[in-house]
Amino acid sequence: MTDTHCPYCALQCGMRLTGTEVAPRGGGLCQKGWTAGRLLTSPRRLSTPLVRVDGELRPADWDTALDTVAARLRDTIAASGPDAVGVFGGGGLTNEKAYLLGKFARVALGTSQVDYNGRFCMSSAAAAANRAFGVDRGLPFPVTDLADADVVLLVGANPAETMPPFLQHLRRATASGGLVVVDPRRTPTAEQAALHLQPAPGTDLALALGILHAVVADGHLRRDYVAARTSGFDAVWRIAAAWWPERVERVTGVAAADQRRAAALLAGARNAYVLTARGTEQHARGSDTAQAWLNLALALGLPGRLGSGWGCLTGQGNGQGGREHGQKADQLPGYRKLTDPAARAHVAGVWGVDPAALPGPGRSAYELLTAADLRALLVFGSNPAVSAPRAGHVVDRLSTLDLLVVADVVLSETAAMADVVFPVTQWAEETGTMTNLEGRVLMREQAVEPPDGVRSDLAVLHGLATRLGQPAARFPVEPSAVFDELRAASKGGIADYYGVTYDRLRSGEALHWPVPSTEHAGTPRLFLDAFGHPDGRARFVPVDHTGPAEPPDADYPLLATTGRVLQHYQSGAQTRRIPELTAAVPDGYVEVHPDTARHAGLADGDLALVESRRGGATVPVRFVPSMRTDTVFLPFHFPGDRRANLITNPALDPVSRMPEFKVCAVRLTAAPS
Ligand SMILES: Nc1nc2c(c(=O)[nH]1)N[C@H]1C(S)=C(S)[C@@H](COP(=O)(O)OP(=O)(O)OC[C@H]3O[C@@H](n4cnc5c(=O)[nH]c(N)nc54)[C@H](O)[C@@H]3O)O[C@H]1N2
Ligand SMILES: Nc1nc2c(c(=O)[nH]1)N[C@H]1C(S)=C(S)[C@@H](COP(=O)(O)OP(=O)(O)OC[C@H]3O[C@@H](n4cnc5c(=O)[nH]c(N)nc54)[C@H](O)[C@@H]3O)O[C@H]1N2
Ligand SMILES: [Mo]
């Protein structure tokens, strides 16, 4: 029997494993969690390296696979320079893996071209939090604090499906009529809300300005807090003053009276929170949109006050830790900046290399995946053939590479395209740490023996690095050795893990970063005394509404948005291989209002072509009477011609480089038979 945590989302529910049998520990589990053990015994698990020979992936031994990759990387670097090699990581990797992957890219390959799937996930909220607070930790307070809230505004979040056990923390707000949900769809989360605001996709920024307008106009601005703890309100108000609720109603479709009701509920609460997730963040103006909700929270005096706050719901299991330790294009461990000379000197010192040898910042995820000058790519913990925006184009680009290498536990759609596939250990087969949505570092203990033939990602990186001429000790295989190095590399940084040790985690201590020394008890609540900027104040940032990058027109008259269902996880690589989950939701679909579908000549269950300027997804129609008539919705978990990302718009946010996953213009027709 081993105590561990769930392999999926950032809530990281406690789990007890007996063999591969799962039971909850403390809180609850969702259907994905209950069935997580199936992937440990799945017959579709990879257990031998694969090397492409004569166009076909064939089993190979480890030395052959590692030698092949190292030789071809050396050739690519010799011919085209280190920046012709890219590395793509994932927010599901442990802290140890994410850290060693960033180090491998910069030191063993010498490339600046490293980024990860968290760019598609958290980057807009992170950019907003950094601007406002000077620190980005998804929830700057323990998730259990939410239990005392009487009002919670959930924006673009559907935790009833994406984080079901999280809802227990909102019980009080829900029961007292204080749950407000902003979502273009009437989701299972919206069903539980006292107030559901249903804006057109891509109009959230206007809605946030309208609610802020109502807060101020109705006399609810927290003037003392704004004066004592913030700066920059006047510039924000100059914009919001022009967005009176009736004007916002015309842009968003949300009744002015409902905007005022939301403002009054938030202002009248004893304890209130504003929480955002991907619905409002995955836009070409996602940073500004997240900022607009943050401005609202500041005007209400919520952040940095015990029992109230602003936060963003981190997505992937290690979405938080994964964005702190250097797999991001502009980042060094400890949430340090690659452009900061002091940070470079510190980390280079820990790594035993010359600071001048560290490359500078690279390109963001979509730009990296589609870069014309990229010749080789190594993918660890992501399936971009399904999950990247404008996936048809991404697949075309990946197929022109000289070398595609994928480390995975299953033959994902991306792995199936690779030249070499490394079969790696997963979750319960290895030890490592994860940092959950509240910035708490968790120990995920090995619970079962890995199948014969697989190795850990750390061993793969070690095997490649040593073949590329690196000293063996620089790329340890033992997770505890990697973690001790990570602690030293993060020391003094924003996300300081120096005081976190395996021993402390194993003794059950709850450690939220920063933890600057081994005597330090951790920081469950940031900002109670001061925000992270040098003057200690939070910053209002002026942002204005501009609308989606691709507005609907006569050719593409509908808005398409995308997201998740309870039973499937991300690209579906894991959950589509679990029988209970595929039985529950076997296939992709498009949710459409019956009137919109009939207008296109489609009946419930008919196969439709949902087409944008980038491509089309072929999916059965599902009649959903609560949908807006101008909007359709596709889950993105399914491969092939069901792929939602065949249509999505890779317009990137100027600050976060987040693509516009959540809105693009489409037309709906019957699929050609
Ligand atoms: N079951 C399941 N759970 C998961 C995951 C999974 O794949 N499956 N993935 C995990 C990860 S990595 C993440 S990032 C989280 C994501 O968790 P969420 O953010 O809750 O999930 P999404 O379904 O992507 O988006 C939430 C909602 O945004 C709405 N939305 C679409 N467009 C807009 C818009 O313009 N404005 C607003 N306000 N809302 C909009 C959608 O209708 C959707 O209901 O879930 C985590 N948990
Ligand atoms: N249209 C649309 N597209 C989206 C989104 C959306 O809302 N709409 N959401 C975006 C978001 S928020 C995210 S986070 C991304 C996620 O999309 P992906 O990055 O594709 O995420 P996963 O499907 O979780 O892929 C993880 C892969 O790593 C493998 N894996 C699991 N554990 C390990 C491990 O320890 N080591 C290695 N090497 N591999 C492992 C899994 O089997 C799987 O193949 O999708 C983005 N794409
Ligand atoms: Mo995510």
Side-chain angles (χ1 to χ4, degrees):
M1 208 161 68
T2 309
D3 285 350
T4 180
H5 294 268
C6 179
Y8 299 115
C9 85
L11 198 56
Q12 286 292 293
C13 295
M15 236 182 210
R16 179 159 294 169
L17 275 176
T18 310
T20 57
E21 281 305 306
V22 165
R25 179 161 62 89
L29 289 177
C30 73
Q31 196 180 356
K32 291 187 305 305
W34 275 108
T35 54
R38 301 282 182 275
L39 205 60
L40 297 167
T41 52
S42 170
R44 294 163 74 190
R45 179 69 191 282
L46 290 174
S47 61
T48 173
L50 303 171
V51 176
R52 193 171 295 278
V53 182
D54 298 331
E56 239 177 80
L57 280 175
R58 301 215 182 122
D61 62 61
W62 272 94
D63 278 335
T64 305
L66 289 165
D67 289 345
T68 305
V69 173
R72 292 176 67 178
L73 288 173
R74 266 197 311 268
D75 290 349
T76 306
I77 292 170
S80 313
D83 277 356
V85 181
V87 174
F88 198 81
L93 301 177
T94 60
N95 288 314
E96 292 78 358
K97 295 177 180 190
Y99 166 82
L100 206 68
L101 191 65
K103 180 180 179 184
F104 174 81
R106 271 100 183 203
V107 176
L109 296 171
T111 183
S112 66
Q113 300 301 304
V114 50
D115 210 48
Y116 78 122
N117 68 7
R119 182 74 65 174
F120 297 154
C121 183
M122 302 300 308
S123 59
S124 289
N130 278 322
R131 289 196 292 209
F133 302 143
V135 177
D136 150 41
R137 199 181 87 189
L139 299 184
F141 47 81
V143 65
T144 43
D145 279 9
L146 292 167
D148 291 326
D150 29 18
V151 174
V152 175
L153 174 65
L154 276 179
V155 193
N158 180 18
E161 294 194 80
T162 56
M163 221 173 252
F166 171 85
L167 290 183
Q168 76 202 24
H169 301 298
L170 308 186
R171 221 179 273 145
R172 188 188 143 108
T174 309
S176 60
L179 184 64
V180 183
V181 171
V182 179
D183 196 309
R185 297 188 304 138
R186 191 155 182 85
T187 60
T189 309
E191 289 285 351
Q192 302 190 27
L195 180 59
H196 173 206
L197 311 181
Q198 208 170 351
T203 64
D204 284 41
L205 211 164
L207 183 61
L209 290 168
I211 298 175
L212 176 60
H213 185 106
V215 164
V216 177
D218 298 345
H220 301 310
L221 178 68
R222 289 297 178 101
R223 291 187 186 281
D224 293 351
Y225 171 97
V226 168
R229 301 213 53 191
T230 72
S231 62
F233 173 72
D234 292 346
V236 165
W237 176 242
R238 272 197 290 278
I239 295 170
W243 285 97
W244 53 95
E246 285 72 15
R247 179 182 172 205
V248 169
E249 176 174 337
R250 286 201 299 277
V251 172
T252 62
V254 175
D258 283 345
Q259 298 170 49
R260 294 200 171 92
R261 241 181 99 197
L265 268 172
L266 283 160
R270 194 169 49 83
N271 290 319
Y273 289 86
V274 174
L275 302 176
T276 68
R278 300 313 82 73
T280 202
E281 299 162 8
Q282 287 174 324
H283 293 273
R285 296 284 310 286
S287 301
D288 284 357
T289 307
Q291 204 82 49
W293 296 112
L294 223 164
N295 287 338
L296 173 67
L298 289 170
L300 290 160
L302 307 180
R305 223 177 70 203
L306 191 63
S308 291
W310 178 89
C312 123
L313 298 175
T314 295
Q316 297 180 86
N318 197 29
Q320 183 69 50
R323 70 183 190 265
E324 299 166 356
H325 299 299
Q327 57 176 339
K328 191 159 170 271
D330 59 353
Q331 201 181 60
L332 287 170
Y335 219 122
R336 288 183 158 96
K337 284 225 157 304
L338 196 47
T339 46
D340 170 5
R344 294 170 69 88
H346 171 81
V347 174
V350 174
W351 289 352
V353 301
D354 177 358
L358 294 178
R363 281 170 289 204
S364 77
Y366 178 75
E367 294 164 290
L368 174 62
L369 292 169
T370 56
D373 54 356
L374 198 71
R375 300 306 334 146
L377 181 70
L378 296 100
V379 179
F380 284 77
S382 182
N383 186 13
V386 175
S387 59
R390 197 184 168 199
H393 179 60
V394 168
V395 165
D396 286 348
R397 280 294 317 147
L398 295 182
S399 59
T400 66
L401 293 171
D402 298 335
L403 176 67
L404 177 63
V405 179
V406 176
D408 207 306
V409 290
V410 293
L411 194 69
S412 71
E413 287 69 22
T414 311
M417 295 179 60
D419 299 292
V420 179
V421 180
F422 291 119
V424 291
T425 47
Q426 58 174 325
W427 162 60
E429 298 161 356
E430 56 186 10
T431 293
T433 63
M434 308 284 280
T435 304
N436 75 357
L437 77 172
E438 50 177 9
R440 177 176 168 191
V441 187
L442 304 171
M443 192 77 205
R444 216 165 62 176
E445 298 278 9
Q446 179 178 356
V448 298
E449 280 304 313
D452 285 344
V454 307
R455 294 187 184 175
S456 77
D457 291 288
L458 299 179
V460 174
L461 294 173
H462 175 92
L464 292 175
T466 49
R467 282 169 176 77
L468 292 168
Q470 291 291 313
R474 199 176 268 169
F475 288 89
V477 171
E478 246 331 289
S480 60
V482 179
F483 191 75
D484 281 339
E485 207 187 291
L486 179 161
R487 293 173 52 214
S490 75
K491 190 172 193 300
I494 288 177
D496 189 335
Y497 281 42
Y498 183 68
V500 183
T501 64
Y502 274 24
D503 283 346
R504 291 185 77 180
L505 294 175
R506 284 183 169 136
S507 76
E509 278 193 82
L511 297 172
H512 301 72
W513 68 254
V515 193
S517 75
T518 48
E519 287 75 45
H520 192 282
T523 316
R525 295 177 188 86
L526 294 162
F527 315 142
L528 288 184
D529 302 321
F531 294 99
H533 291 301
D535 64 1
R537 288 171 179 266
R539 293 185 186 155
F540 280 95
V541 180
V543 290
D544 204 349
H545 179 70
T546 54
E550 184 183 53
D553 57 18
D555 292 335
Y556 299 94
L558 295 170
L559 298 161
T561 189
T562 62
R564 297 162 162 83
V565 302
L566 191 151
Q567 287 84 357
H568 286 289
Y569 193 66
Q570 317 273 57
S571 73
Q574 291 156 286
T575 49
R576 283 186 277 110
R577 289 173 170 83
I578 294 178
E580 289 90 333
L581 301 178
T582 44
V585 183
D587 198 3
Y589 54 85
V590 56
E591 292 185 358
V592 190
H593 189 281
D595 292 347
T596 308
R598 285 191 202 104
H599 187 73
L602 290 160
D604 196 22
D606 282 359
L607 205 57
L609 178 64
V610 186
E611 224 180 337
S612 76
R613 287 185 177 81
R614 291 151 299 277
T618 308
V619 276
V621 169
R622 200 178 266 193
F623 275 18
V624 178
S626 60
M627 284 297 282
R628 292 176 58 107
T629 53
D630 59 359
T631 302
V632 303
F633 169 84
L634 297 90
F636 80 100
H637 313 293
F638 302 93
D641 62 3
R642 299 292 197 252
R643 256 177 306 169
N645 278 315
L646 291 173
I647 64 170
T648 47
N649 185 358
L652 301 182
D653 181 285
V655 182
S656 65
R657 315 306 282 165
M658 166 73 83
E660 189 134 276
F661 284 120
K662 287 293 195 266
V663 57
C664 70
V666 296
R667 61 180 167 227
L668 185 70
T669 53
S673 44

